[in-house]
Amino acid sequence: MLVVVMGISGGAVVNVNDRRLWVFDMREESEWQRGHIAGAERVDWHHVGVAVGALGVSLEQRILLYCNSGQRSKKARDILVYMGYTKVVNGESWAKAKEIVGDEILE
């Protein structure tokens, strides 16, 4: 079951099977407008470090990143791992990421 809980400054935490998961969409605004995972926060990959800090995401919290192909989300994952985040998953494409959280998609 997917439940969305609004987080700080418009960010959101997604609960997947009763486990909290921060979800960040690394795609451009135009891509986001065509559809995105419910509860995801859209962030440019190169600003992901600032975004997780502003939202109060702790180093131990679970984070899922995705984009269209996995390239931008990989770059964002590398940034967060460098910053000390320990539970960061590159969900790669939007399609693969939605499998992780379920089929809850906003279009």
Side-chain angles (χ1 to χ4, degrees):
M1 178 177 174
L2 178 68
V3 180
V4 178
V5 180
M6 292 311 292
I8 303 168
S9 302
V13 175
V14 175
N15 288 320
V16 179
N17 298 325
D18 297 322
R19 296 182 67 196
R20 295 170 63 85
L21 176 68
W22 286 89
V23 180
F24 293 93
D25 186 322
M26 302 290 108
R27 298 175 305 150
E28 298 293 326
E29 181 68 28
S30 60
E31 297 169 302
W32 166 270
Q33 293 299 328
R34 289 192 296 266
H36 54 273
I37 293 174
E41 178 75 13
R42 195 198 74 74
V43 177
D44 292 332
W45 70 266
H46 51 279
H47 294 138
V48 72
V50 173
V52 297
L55 293 169
V57 181
S58 72
L59 296 176
E60 299 82 27
Q61 287 183 296
R62 297 171 58 233
I63 301 171
L64 172 67
L65 308 170
Y66 72 92
C67 60
N68 270 344
S69 67
Q71 295 302 310
R72 290 173 281 188
S73 52
K74 180 191 178 311
K75 291 175 186 177
R77 182 190 178 281
D78 291 347
I79 290 169
L80 294 180
V81 168
Y82 180 79
M83 291 174 63
Y85 288 86
T86 58
K87 297 180 181 175
V88 184
V89 173
N90 177 4
E92 298 179 7
S93 70
W94 183 42
K96 288 183 182 180
K98 75 177 186 174
E99 289 175 11
I100 294 171
V101 299
D103 290 326
E104 188 71 22
I105 302 296
L106 296 179
E107 297 191 61

